[in-house]
Amino acid sequence: MTDPNAIQPSALDQLPDRDPEETAEWQASLDAVAREAGPHRAAYLMRRTLERAEAGGVALPKLLETDYVNTIPTSAEPALPGDPEMEARITAWNRWNAAAMVTRGAKHGVGGHIATFASAAWLYETGFNHFFRGKEQDGSGDQLYIQGHASPGIYARAFLDGRLDEAHLDNFRQEAGGNGLPSYPHPRRLPWLWEFPTVSMGLGPLSAIYQARFNRYLTNRGVKDVSASHVWAFLGDGEMDEPESTAALALAAREELDNLTFVINCNLQRLDGPVRANFKIVQELEAQFRGAGWNVVKTLWGSAWDELFALDTTGALVRRLRQVPDAQVQTYQTRDAAYIRQDFFGADPALAEMAKLLSDDKILECFHLSRGGHEARKVYAAYKAAVEHKGAPTVILAQTVKGHTLGEGFASKNANHQMKKLSVDEFKTMRDLLDLPIKDSDFTDGVVPYGHPGADSPEVRYLQERRAALGGPAPARRVHPPAPLPAPADKAFAAFDKGSGSQNVATTMAFVRLVKDLVRDKETGKRWVPIVPDEARTFGMESLFPSLGIYSPKGQTYEPVDRDQLMYYKEAKNGQILNEGITEAGSMADFIAASTAYATHGEAMIPFYIFYSMFGWQRTADQMWQLGDQLGRGFLVGATAGRTTLTGEGLQHADGHSPVIAATNPAALSYDPAFAYEIAVIVREGLRRMYGEAKPGEDQNVFYYLTVYNEPLPQPAKPAGPGVDEGIVKGLYRFNTAETAGVTAPANAPRIQLLGSGTAIHWTLEAQKLLAEEWGVAADVWSATSWGELRRDALDADAALLRGEERVPYVRQALQGAEGPVLAVSDYMRQVPDQIAQWVEQDWSSLGADGFGLSDTREAARRHFGVDARSIVVAALAQLAKRGEVKASAVKEAREKYGL
């Protein structure tokens, strides 16, 4: 059996020892210290030696954990600038109003969170007073990702500086009337204040990393120098359990994003209880971030602890702090001095002796109140260290008490996340603790008053002066509308009008070719941001590598293996393509940063993100809601789309539902184009709507979702005649009739309208021919470019009708007078076309690829799902048989003929 105490082999055993005698002397010295002074002293010396080696540039593996103490000792803390007493009064007002706002709202049952901001107040206030740059200097400023549950504190500060009034605060979480404040940071709901939505949790940290990365991208590409911008992400320690929270840590370190700081509020509590009840979340996070290459600053203990650390001559206190699990630290917060003496200090004889020198008041001050995150000087020291650190991002692990200053009923209680109000007596206790000039008589009829020192008070003047010095209010979202981007030359779009002749072209390739032409445009070409998650060759984008380059802040430090080929893998510091590796979440975070640059930096960028359609909306739909909330603009492209079009890949690659999910997002304009010229029309319209001259009442804050296919097929010419472009944009137009298609059907033949979207239109066209030649039925074929836009228009028409306005839905207008029933076909589940059924006056039926995907040839898969041309013929005959326009026997005959 292996001896667990035996010295295990290491990589060093494979290196020759140039001086074995010297090595033995070092080892003997360590053994002697452990024997004479104890293993704790030996461990202490080893840690200090490793720290010294690291500081001196000696190449050694880094320590992943340090002692459970502040990274910056009190003796090394810089002086706190400004007026600390004034800042304390400002913070007190903000604490009060944050709690009052949520408590007053509780009578309406709308909820809110009090305890988070109470713990994090100094983390925000120190930044607002000394670090966070506003937008009034360079238009960019810093980017602040505010923890969602802390929003009441941000509203309280905006109330103090005059940007909000009492009526606003009383409408917290009551937005229906148009004057309310959203529950969390929601730019779409409060676009002059919030820049970045940070709920759902986990999206804030991921987006912050890619925002910092995109800032470097803008600078390195020469679009705008935003090197002075710093990204601050305020997070909860419980939030770090979300996989998105830590998904991109290595990227931030790898690209040396020292323009990024995470501030993690370590109050040791998540929503239901301790974050790591039996462990230590701070130490876990430190190891995780250090291992990823981040600079870590721990701000754990307040100045009251200085006396205790000075008495710790044996290291017993530091050892005990490392041992005590988080849940027990939380318990100390609520217990008396006697309990703490016995449980904490009584665990070690040296600590028991130390405790004899401490008064009960001193013990309670330390264990109940004194945390690094509650002292402006210690927070300032951490922030200063973060912004001055170069070569790596910084994470600040700031220990706080959840519910700090809210009284014994809140502080460190497991249920405090769900506690929405304080009693009047608790508010009076809080008032006395914060030393606020609020009288008992101000509590009229038991209603908690808001507090404000006055618009011309020293506090407000100080606050506004500090913000003016830092570049204006924060957080703040500013959109200084730039001149509309000039439309690219028509040549790029018109190239698709003639079709592809005898050449088969997949619509994915058509889209890539269009973008390749658009990025060459002298006016707008540099504003395109191609984003791909390591599938560029799958989508035929490798032709863009040498011309645009793949963005890398280090450029290309190696000779690519395919350098002698025309389409070699070219990386460049000013590269335009963001090739993110296998991360849809990271690619979406890229897209969000690029799509909102018009507001964040005053620079309109045109991102397009191309991905396996199955792995977009299905996997990262939460971020697409975040994109809509953040008012992003751009093109999402779901490639290799459809349930049956991607051969051989099977169930998890076969997309039969992305348009359904996209239809749930009000900001998404979802299109399923069939032909290359349709893609050109849609992209041209998207550029106009999002970046050009908007029409009256038109919302520019939308994004487009296009599904494109990998099946090479003939691309026809655009039909002649009026209304085609309008129909493409609105979602439906007649591609041909039985007569214009050149198929032969008897005079007065029964007629049916076939609606197809995406690749399904090719099966519909084949069915049109079979119906005429084999069954004597005339079919007209319509291209349904957007079932979703048809439905959106119809819903708007319904709403107008309820207002007393007469409006006919476009789909009804388009199909007016069309003879016979309607049969709709798509490569998606029937729910996709069925979303417009109620507005179609003709008899309606549909075919779709419902169910799980499977691996097979395209033809076999389509026959399996009943959407191939022959299945369409049978379904069409069945519809006509119901109407008595063909014999019922024809349906059975067709089924048998086609082997269905």
Side-chain angles (χ1 to χ4, degrees), residues 558-779:
Y558 61 92
E559 183 178 355
V561 66
D562 54 358
R563 181 63 182 86
D564 58 341
Q565 297 179 17
L566 180 63
M567 292 183 285
Y568 72 96
Y569 198 83
K570 176 186 175 183
E571 296 188 79
K573 190 173 182 179
N574 64 345
Q576 195 162 348
I577 301 169
L578 291 172
N579 191 324
E580 290 302 4
I582 304 173
T583 168
E584 285 85 6
S587 300
M588 268 307 301
D590 264 337
F591 188 90
I592 291 169
S595 69
T596 54
Y598 73 93
T600 308
H601 296 298
E603 294 288 344
M605 305 299 288
I606 311 170
F608 78 88
Y609 163 35
I610 188 167
F611 51 89
Y612 267 101
S613 63
M614 186 68 163
F615 303 143
W617 283 94
Q618 174 170 288
R619 181 171 288 182
T620 56
D622 197 9
Q623 288 176 285
M624 290 160 183
W625 279 93
Q626 178 190 12
L627 166 66
D629 189 353
Q630 201 168 318
L631 307 164
R633 306 170 184 175
F635 297 95
L636 295 176
V637 183
T640 60
R643 181 79 84 198
T644 69
T645 306
L646 182 61
T647 57
E649 295 288 354
L651 187 152
Q652 289 193 340
H653 284 66
D655 171 24
H657 55 273
S658 70
V660 177
I661 307 174
T664 66
N665 191 306
L669 278 59
S670 177
Y671 285 86
D672 186 26
F675 304 125
Y677 67 80
E678 293 178 352
I679 292 173
V681 170
I682 293 164
V683 170
R684 179 168 57 189
E685 170 65 9
L687 290 173
R688 181 207 63 77
R689 176 165 179 173
M690 295 185 292
Y691 302 97
E693 294 282 358
K695 298 176 183 176
E698 192 173 53
D699 185 6
Q700 288 189 281
N701 297 317
V702 296
F703 60 92
Y704 282 67
Y705 175 54
L706 281 69
T707 49
V708 292
Y709 300 83
N710 73 327
E711 183 177 12
L713 291 165
Q715 296 298 323
K718 183 195 291 188
V724 173
D725 284 11
E726 179 188 21
I728 291 171
V729 171
K730 289 188 172 182
L732 183 68
Y733 69 98
R734 182 153 43 195
F735 176 72
N736 68 20
T737 65
E739 291 73 20
T740 59
V743 296
T744 304
N748 300 317
R751 187 172 289 269
I752 190 169
Q753 307 299 317
L754 301 179
L755 277 58
S757 70
T759 194
I761 202 169
H762 295 280
W763 325 327
T764 328
L765 289 167
E766 185 181 350
Q768 179 189 46
K769 183 177 180 182
L770 291 173
L771 282 166
E773 295 178 351
E774 299 185 8
W775 305 98
V777 172

